[in-house]
Amino acid sequence: MREWHRGKSHDNMHYYVYNDGASFEWDDQKNEENIRKHGISFTDAQRAFLDPQRLIGPDKKHSIDERRLFCIGQVDGKILTVRFTMRSNTIRIIGAGAWRQGRKIYETYNR
């Protein structure tokens, strides 16, 4: 079974390590804002990457200063869209939500 382990917290950023080697980080303020706006914590959002049917693609709309991607995956019966960027070997979560467009894309590719 795959598990997450909490790592160091520093500079207002959480850092989680997935036992397959992938790691995640995010800004605490951005996480709190995301919870208020979309009802999704970044702790829950990282679980979208565990979905074996997840989709990962470029986020052209939000790729201005750096290359951004999105992961669409199922978490607790919800289809989440997670916006992120890669920094070295770390996935930095930028935002997440359960949006209709992400669900539509997920359901189209996973019929």
Side-chain angles (χ1 to χ4, degrees):
M1 179 174 202
R2 298 175 174 183
E3 295 180 2
W4 297 98
H5 303 282
R6 181 153 185 167
K8 297 177 182 178
S9 179
H10 56 88
D11 298 332
N12 290 325
M13 301 194 9
H14 283 288
Y15 180 80
Y16 285 76
V17 179
Y18 179 59
N19 69 359
D20 282 350
S23 61
F24 293 83
E25 68 179 18
W26 56 80
D27 180 272
D28 283 336
Q29 282 187 309
K30 187 76 173 162
N31 180 44
E32 291 300 321
E33 180 182 329
N34 201 81
I35 293 168
R36 280 192 304 278
K37 288 174 78 174
H38 306 295
I40 306 292
S41 74
F42 292 168
T43 301
D44 288 338
Q46 69 183 340
R47 293 172 44 217
F49 290 83
L50 290 174
D51 181 351
Q53 296 180 359
R54 72 189 174 277
L55 302 169
I56 295 179
D59 183 359
K60 295 176 184 176
K61 182 178 178 182
H62 297 96
S63 293
I64 298 168
D65 295 327
E66 66 183 341
R67 182 171 183 246
R68 293 193 177 181
L69 303 156
F70 63 84
C71 172
I72 303 173
Q74 189 169 1
V75 176
D76 297 332
K78 295 180 185 175
I79 306 301
L80 301 185
T81 300
V82 182
R83 289 194 173 94
F84 68 99
T85 191
M86 294 297 301
R87 295 193 177 160
S88 297
N89 293 323
T90 301
I91 296 169
R92 181 172 176 82
I93 296 177
I94 298 164
W99 298 298
R100 285 186 299 259
Q101 184 176 5
R103 186 179 70 235
K104 184 177 178 181
I105 292 167
Y106 184 89
E107 289 172 349
T108 298
Y109 282 90
N110 287 301
R111 288 187 176 168

